[in-house]
Each structure stands twice: as C-alpha cells, then as structure tokens.
Amino acid sequence: MRLLIVEDERRLARSLARGLQAEGYAVDVCHDGTEGLRLAREHDYDLVILDIMLPGLNGYRVCAALRAAGDEVPVLMLTAKDGEYDEAEGLDTGADDYLTKPFSYVVLLARVRALLRRRGRSAAPVLRLGPVTVDRSTRRVERDGAEVLLTAKEFAVLEQLAERAGEVVSKTEILEHVWDFAYEGDPNIVEVYVSALRRKLGADTIVTVRGAGYRTADRGA
Ligand code: CA
C-alpha cells in the first residue's frame, strides 16, 4: 500500500512517515497543497493523509480538486482543534474521514487500516489463499494454522496479491503500491520478494504469469 502525506508541519510529517513505513507502507511526503495535488494526480495512491491548513492550496481545495477530477482515493483529513476549520466542511469536500490534532498514532493507524480495507476489493480483515490466511488487522500470516513470520515489505507484497486473489497483478503495480518514489532501484526487486514469499509460504502460493505478472493460486477457499 502506498500512501501520500501532505502536511506542512515537517516534524509531524516525518514521524508519521517513519511510523507508517515501519508498518510496511510505502510513504511519500510533501509539505504544500499544490505539490500534494500534483503528486496525487501523478501516482495511484491507496490513501492520502491531508492536512487542512497548508501553503499553496489548502486541504479542502486539494480534496475538492481530486474529487472533481473523478479521483476516489481515500482521504483522511487532519484538522486543527481551534474550530476555525470545520470537520463537516472537510467531509463535504469529499474527505472520507478526519482526525483532530493532536491525535494518537495508534488511532491514526487504525483509521488508515480501516480506510484501506474499505478501498480494497474485499473489506474482510482476513484474506484466504487456500491454506494461507492473511490477517490485515493483526498483520499475522498463517499457513495451515501455523504462523509464518514475514518482514513488513514481504507482507505488503503479499497483501497486494491477496487482495486480488486469482487475478494477475503486474510487477509495475506491485512496485507502485509497495515502494515509494524515493525507490530508484531495479524493478526486479519484486522478484526477490516473491521468491522469499514462496520460500516461506510454499512454492504453490504465488504463480508467475509469463510476461504479465503474478497471481495467487486461487483454490476456491
Ligand atoms: Ca498545517
């Protein structure tokens, strides 16, 4: 999952980004509304965390511009508590949820996960791939009931595939959703993670579709 944070308080933006990266999300950060809108239009983000009071364009205008362009990316708005800006107004411009500053990181993370689940094909917290289960709330993965320990990035790659079980997901789509824009390395990095997942979860879990990408074995579970 790839997230964009648009927040001009740099320390807050940095600490949110670090926390979310530690959870395995790819995170891009920018500090003004104009840049935020440009990035959101350019990339296929899974979620945007959008502050309201921003230099350039304010958060309401960024959100309204995205919606006017037909972009349905989930938007979590960050509002200041001073009452100058209204949560209702945020929701009116098309935001999906809001948080009032100061907020706890745990609450932010829970909201982020809930919005990402809602966006996915399946709202179910637990995805099943035959003998493998992927619990997106606890980030626990099991095969035949036994826990399999994955790194945060391995989990993120598996989640991309599991959300679209049975469909072909291209290497580019995985890259776009799991790595952030600072990544300029070899796109074949995806193969490295898929190999690791096969080693840990069983070779039959992920099928290579030549020239197209990967799909998880859909065994009708
Ligand atoms: Ca601000």
Side-chain angles (χ1 to χ4, degrees):
M1 298 286 177
R2 183 168 172 185
L3 279 48
L4 173 65
I5 297 174
V6 190
E7 168 59 80
D8 61 324
E9 288 168 53
R10 286 170 189 253
R11 274 178 55 188
L12 175 62
R14 207 160 40 230
S15 73
L16 287 180
R18 277 207 206 107
L20 291 165
Q21 281 159 352
E23 299 291 326
Y25 298 113
V27 183
D28 296 338
V29 176
C30 71
H31 307 293
D32 78 81
T34 316
E35 176 74 355
L37 181 59
R38 186 185 68 75
L39 286 170
R41 280 185 171 153
E42 220 165 77
H43 301 280
D44 183 16
Y45 289 105
D46 297 289
L47 179 100
V48 177
I49 297 175
L50 182 61
D51 186 33
I52 290 180
M53 294 180 69
L54 287 168
L57 284 175
N58 72 38
Y60 295 142
R61 292 182 59 194
V62 172
C63 189
L66 286 172
R67 297 304 185 236
D71 191 328
E72 293 180 352
V73 62
V75 172
L76 174 60
M77 268 192 179
L78 303 181
T79 70
K81 212 187 174 96
D82 58 20
E84 194 183 336
Y85 288 84
D86 197 318
E87 285 106 18
E89 200 176 341
L91 297 175
D92 281 347
T93 62
D96 298 273
D97 201 355
Y98 62 86
L99 265 182
T100 305
K101 295 179 189 174
F103 49 80
S104 93
Y105 176 70
V106 176
V107 172
L108 173 104
L109 193 57
R111 299 284 182 89
V112 163
R113 285 183 180 158
L115 286 171
L116 289 172
R117 278 204 301 276
R118 239 186 277 165
R119 170 179 173 72
R121 299 290 171 90
S122 155
V126 180
L127 303 170
R128 281 173 214 286
L129 306 165
V132 175
T133 56
V134 182
D135 187 327
R136 290 188 288 177
S137 335
T138 60
R139 306 180 86 72
R140 185 184 166 96
V141 176
E142 295 180 355
R143 179 168 177 126
D144 296 320
E147 181 168 18
V148 180
L149 294 174
L150 299 183
T151 66
K153 272 278 190 270
E154 287 166 0
F155 183 90
V157 171
L158 178 64
E159 190 180 24
Q160 284 302 312
L161 290 164
E163 266 216 323
R164 295 170 58 186
E167 282 178 43
V168 178
V169 184
S170 74
K171 223 184 272 181
T172 315
E173 285 173 288
I174 297 173
L175 259 187
E176 172 90 4
H177 287 274
V178 179
W179 277 268
D180 60 39
F181 65 16
Y183 182 76
E184 285 172 356
D186 189 341
N188 291 324
I189 185 84
V190 174
E191 287 171 23
V192 175
Y193 282 86
V194 168
S195 309
L197 287 169
R198 283 183 175 138
R199 211 162 47 237
K200 292 182 175 183
L201 296 170
D204 55 340
T205 309
I206 301 169
V207 178
T208 300
V209 183
R210 294 234 171 273
Y214 303 100
R215 76 181 156 70
T216 48
D218 189 3
R219 280 160 293 190

